[in-house]
Amino acid sequence: MARGGWLRGAAFLVLTTLVAVSCGDEGGDGGGGGGEEESNVIRFTFAPDPAWDWVKDQGILEAMEQESGFRIIQLATWDEWATFAGGHADVVSTGTYETPLLEEQGIETVTFGQFNMNKDVLVTAHPEYRTASDFPAGCKIATESVTGNTIIWGSLINEFDGREVAEGSDDIGIVTADYQVIPNLLREDEACAGILDPTQVIPDMASGDLTVMYDGKAASQLYGENIVPGHEGVLSNAFVSRAAWFDANPEAAAFFLEVWDCAMVQWADHRDEIIDTYPQHFAVEDESEAQFMKDYFENTFDWFVESPYLTDEWIEGERPVFDLVQEAGVIPEDAEFPRHEALEPPDDSPCPEGF
């Protein structure tokens, strides 16, 4: 298959990284902690998140930090990839299909935890389009970026339907737009389909005039049904650190996962309350939209993992994600599967007493 479009997308991401690195402190450490030194401070960069806000606002994080002696500094940003690549964070939350791009830039990584499965769906205004195999040649998929979730969706479409998704492709092209704009592009036939985050376009998802393709499945669900049956993965949020930091700070890495283990317990126990408390994280504007989101989690797909801890079996199940991305031409053929580590969860409850 032709690789030009994918490589152009990857090149854009590489350019962003190089700019971030050049703007960082000399030596690339970005100041304060990290590197190869042992530290009780964990610099964590990721997009704003409701489960994290909950453990902070409920006093859970503070209680765990005081008991452990570790401290997590939050660097909340929508550009967490560049923040981490620029040396300003020890741990980043990123997709398992994106981590190889860090390795390609010479950043040795360790994936040691998980948080969210890929939730994006492929949506169309043409109900006759059930899969990408039904698209006419030359149509386009609308997406927020040529990288990110487009990487895994393009790889799955290539695997399932034998179609090429790439910028400038004569088969299936790409048009970029904000999530909120994409539904209108679909209705106006400016694109055959769009990759959408269900939390960002609730009115459009509930309108009835758009159809979720592939039987309503998100990318991670399709992977777990067709690539590695039963696997819960294709992570849009895996916990990744530099290898040097992980090796120098095993206790800090263990504490980090303990906090997120508690966050997952809190999500399971207080999901509806969290949605009501932080409607901005779900683009919820009124009670009906909040109920739609609650029903979606309950009946369609809850992309929050049950536990942040990896297992050897899970790692092997996620390995073919790397193969899909490689076969789609996003990373070189000689690239190696990134390092993963399965830490042992504690025997007792992860949350402090009283929570």
Side-chain angles (χ1 to χ4, degrees), residues 45-49 75-81 83 197 200 280-281:
T45 183
F46 68 129
D49 178 81
L75 305 169
T77 173
W78 292 106
D79 198 10
E80 63 268 35
W81 207 94
T83 300
D197 177 343
Q200 299 301 310
Q280 70 276 14
H281 287 303

Side-chain angles (χ1 to χ4, degrees), residues 244-298:
W245 179 88
F246 182 87
D247 292 336
N249 294 276
E251 292 183 0
F255 170 74
F256 181 85
L257 285 193
E258 288 175 13
V259 171
W260 280 101
D261 197 12
C262 180
M264 294 301 89
V265 170
Q266 294 293 311
W267 171 256
D269 291 345
H270 303 282
R271 185 176 65 195
D272 286 359
E273 187 179 352
I274 291 174
I275 293 171
D276 289 334
T277 304
Y278 306 107
Q280 70 276 14
H281 287 303
F282 305 94
V284 164
E285 296 185 358
D286 56 42
E287 187 174 340
S288 65
E289 292 183 0
Q291 190 59 51
F292 175 88
M293 198 72 262
K294 294 171 186 177
D295 292 342
Y296 194 94
F297 278 115
E298 180 67 26

Side-chain angles (χ1 to χ4, degrees), residues 57-210:
D57 295 345
Q58 295 297 312
I60 296 172
L61 176 62
E62 182 180 4
M64 296 184 73
E65 288 180 330
Q66 288 180 351
E67 181 178 350
S68 68
F70 289 103
R71 181 186 174 202
I72 300 176
I73 295 179
Q74 175 193 15
L75 305 169
T77 173
W78 292 106
D79 198 10
E80 63 268 35
W81 207 94
T83 300
F84 177 78
H88 300 282
D90 306 309
V91 181
V92 64
S93 182
T94 190
T96 48
Y97 40 86
E98 296 175 298
T99 306
L101 297 174
L102 289 167
E103 296 277 338
E104 192 177 353
Q105 289 305 298
I107 302 174
E108 295 183 9
T109 67
V110 175
T111 299
F112 67 97
Q114 58 178 325
F115 177 36
N116 285 163
M117 292 174 278
N118 183 285
K119 63 181 178 292
D120 282 21
V121 291
L122 195 64
V123 178
T124 183
H126 292 270
E128 68 272 21
Y129 295 161
R130 300 178 61 84
T131 72
S133 62
D134 298 322
F135 291 160
C139 76
K140 296 181 179 180
I141 288 178
T143 180
E144 194 174 43
S145 168
V146 295
T147 57
N149 292 334
T150 308
I151 292 175
I152 190 60
W153 263 111
S155 300
L156 288 172
I157 288 171
N158 177 259
E159 175 72 15
F160 295 152
D161 307 301
R163 305 291 297 270
E164 178 197 50
V165 179
E167 286 185 292
S169 172
D170 293 331
D171 191 3
I172 301 174
I174 294 174
V175 57
T176 58
D178 290 339
Y179 278 130
Q180 291 73 22
V181 175
I182 290 175
N184 288 333
L185 295 181
L186 303 183
R187 295 185 179 103
E188 296 169 2
D189 270 343
E190 296 293 327
C192 289
I195 299 173
L196 290 177
D197 177 343
T199 68
Q200 299 301 310
V201 287
I202 292 177
D204 298 289
M205 292 287 288
S207 67
D209 61 347
L210 298 178

